[in-house]
Amino acid sequence: MKRVILVGFMGCGKSTLGKKLAKRLSIPFLDSDEEIEKGVLMSVGEIFGAHGESRFREIETEFIETLFDEGDFVLATGGGMPCFNKNMESLNKLGTSFYLERSPKELAHRLRNAKTQRPLISGLSDEDLLSFIEEKLSEREEAYKQATFVLSREEQTPEHIESLILLLQKG
Ligand code: S3P
């Protein structure tokens, strides 16, 4: 069974890489935020606004449970998913996880024009964005680093991930 789980901070490129990887492996691609939005017929921003972050985190945990009934997939997780409710443990039971490591500066650069859809950063100025990322990333890294593989920027390619999966399957 090929279940591949990409974790990492907002803006690290989970969805972009995930789509390419799914294509290469010829398996479905799932984006946890999109699946949750389809399930509750609300955007992530609306869920945060109407029910608060804690309800969103419960929904994320419930969503992970549904994936144990699925076959092969590449999953791009929401940036906070691994950091609540022992979700990282569940994700590791589900399949092979990869942490896409990026520096705070790089993340800030990548997120500068992608704040609106993300309730945690939508109200931040560019100056505050970097300090927010530094602080949150340092809190979250412990969870992210429980991933099966930690990938540096250069290693974040579909080819490299495929070769690691093949290695695991042989071993
Ligand atoms: C969040 C990341 C978002 C989304 C929500 C909360 C976070 O997903 O789940 O806005 O806590 O880091 P992306 O990582 O896809 O932006």
Side-chain angles (χ1 to χ4, degrees), residues 73-168:
F73 57 76
V74 174
L75 172 70
T77 58
M81 180 181 268
C83 315
F84 293 84
N85 307 331
K86 299 202 175 157
N87 289 344
M88 196 62 216
E89 267 177 42
S90 307
L91 292 170
N92 280 333
K93 284 188 191 135
L94 192 59
T96 309
S97 59
F98 296 84
Y99 169 34
L100 311 185
E101 195 169 34
R102 298 272 178 159
S103 72
K105 272 206 182 115
E106 200 183 351
L107 291 168
H109 182 72
R110 292 166 63 99
L111 284 168
R112 205 153 287 160
N113 297 314
K115 286 188 282 190
T116 32
Q117 306 304 319
R118 295 177 162 103
L120 290 180
I121 56 171
S122 56
L124 297 181
S125 67
D126 289 351
E127 295 74 45
D128 290 343
L129 182 61
L130 179 60
S131 37
F132 172 85
I133 293 170
E134 284 169 341
E135 198 175 314
K136 263 281 183 277
L137 187 61
S138 70
E139 283 167 29
R140 289 181 169 185
E141 269 208 310
E142 193 188 331
Y144 293 151
K145 286 191 169 169
Q146 289 170 31
T148 321
F149 294 100
V150 176
L151 302 183
S152 67
R153 193 180 152 176
E154 297 69 38
E155 293 170 328
Q156 293 169 22
T157 64
E159 294 77 16
H160 185 68
I161 294 181
E162 186 184 30
S163 69
L164 291 172
I165 293 169
L166 289 174
L167 264 181
L168 273 186

